Amino acid sequence: MSTDVSAQHPASVIVIDDHDIVRFGLETLIRQCPELRFAGSAASLREGLELVRSLEPALVVTDMGTADSRGLDTVRAVVAAQQPRATLVVSMQDELLYGEQVLALGARGYLMKESAHAMVVPAALAVLHGGTWVSPRLNAKLLNRFLHRVRPAPAELPQQGEMELTPREIDVLQLLKSGRTTKEIAAALELSNRTVDIHRANIKRKLHLRTGAELIAYASSRL
């Protein structure tokens, strides 16, 4: 779905992010573009969803984590409230871990915060015109995945990180980074200890990691 976007018909945009400086920065960038109209911002998912419902913005620019929500659950809720209008995710999380998941949930683009200053306006305009925005790095991954489906290669072991993690495995990996034990992760995600152990084992298998220490080191370096 594309939107009639021009200086005469600027598209309304709201921002959802729990960091004041990020909200201010994105607002400043959006206000500098005559084709966009900054309509408001929220620091929590609850406030953001209220804005979406009351303002029906053409575009929501949202982080993956807020004061009252975390990760893909945030994206899922925003996309559900915003459909069929556009959602753009701007996050500090590694796009190779989360980008494809975010697009699968219905967001129209994924932008790393480190690139937001230069790219958030082009990304916003791209998705408002009916396109999709991803970085060249993520685009290469998606293209390679498509080509392998069309032209299967001989069976061989995937490279580290090639096998896709599930949303729940990503949640476990995120909590491992913060130093949580299996028991603490189980409590946070409302799972059994055994289920968390299974997730840990699957993550190590997919990423070709041998030990728990390597798993935690990976989480710390990539998330």
Side-chain angles (χ1 to χ4, degrees), residues 187-213:
L189 299 179
E190 298 182 348
L191 302 172
S192 69
N193 290 354
R194 175 170 171 73
T195 299
V196 173
D197 285 336
I198 291 172
H199 284 313
R200 290 180 61 143
N202 286 337
I203 295 167
K204 286 192 293 185
R205 174 178 56 81
K206 290 180 178 182
L207 300 179
H208 305 290
L209 303 173
R210 293 171 298 175
T211 67

Side-chain angles (χ1 to χ4, degrees), residues 52-132:
V52 170
R53 295 182 184 115
S54 63
L55 301 179
E56 297 187 347
L59 174 66
V60 175
V61 177
T62 182
D63 194 358
M64 288 182 59
T66 61
D68 57 347
S69 184
R70 183 183 69 245
L72 296 171
D73 288 340
T74 305
V75 178
R76 188 177 291 108
V78 172
V79 169
Q82 174 69 352
Q83 292 282 27
R85 301 176 304 273
T87 299
L88 172 66
V89 173
V90 178
S91 173
M92 65 183 294
Q93 305 296 344
D94 191 329
E95 61 191 352
L96 294 187
L97 281 175
Y98 285 97
E100 191 171 0
Q101 306 269 7
V102 163
L103 296 176
L105 289 175
R108 298 296 298 276
Y110 192 97
L111 179 65
M112 297 282 288
K113 281 185 177 179
E114 63 192 39
S115 304
H117 181 267
M119 296 299 179
V120 71
V121 169
L125 294 175
V127 301
L128 284 167
H129 283 100
T132 300

Side-chain angles (χ1 to χ4, degrees), residues 107-177:
R108 298 296 298 276
Y110 192 97
L111 179 65
M112 297 282 288
K113 281 185 177 179
E114 63 192 39
S115 304
H117 181 267
M119 296 299 179
V120 71
V121 169
L125 294 175
V127 301
L128 284 167
H129 283 100
T132 300
W133 182 275
V134 295
S135 72
R137 180 171 173 246
L138 179 55
N139 187 61
K141 177 187 177 183
L142 298 175
L143 180 59
N144 285 333
R145 184 182 296 278
F146 171 76
L147 291 175
H148 276 84
R149 287 172 180 166
V150 174
R151 231 180 20 245
E156 59 183 15
L157 282 176
Q159 298 299 312
Q160 179 165 318
E162 185 177 332
M163 296 183 70
E164 196 68 30
L165 299 182
T166 67
R168 184 57 79 195
E169 288 166 354
I170 291 174
D171 288 338
V172 171
L173 200 59
Q174 191 80 27
L175 291 169
L176 283 171
K177 177 190 176 182

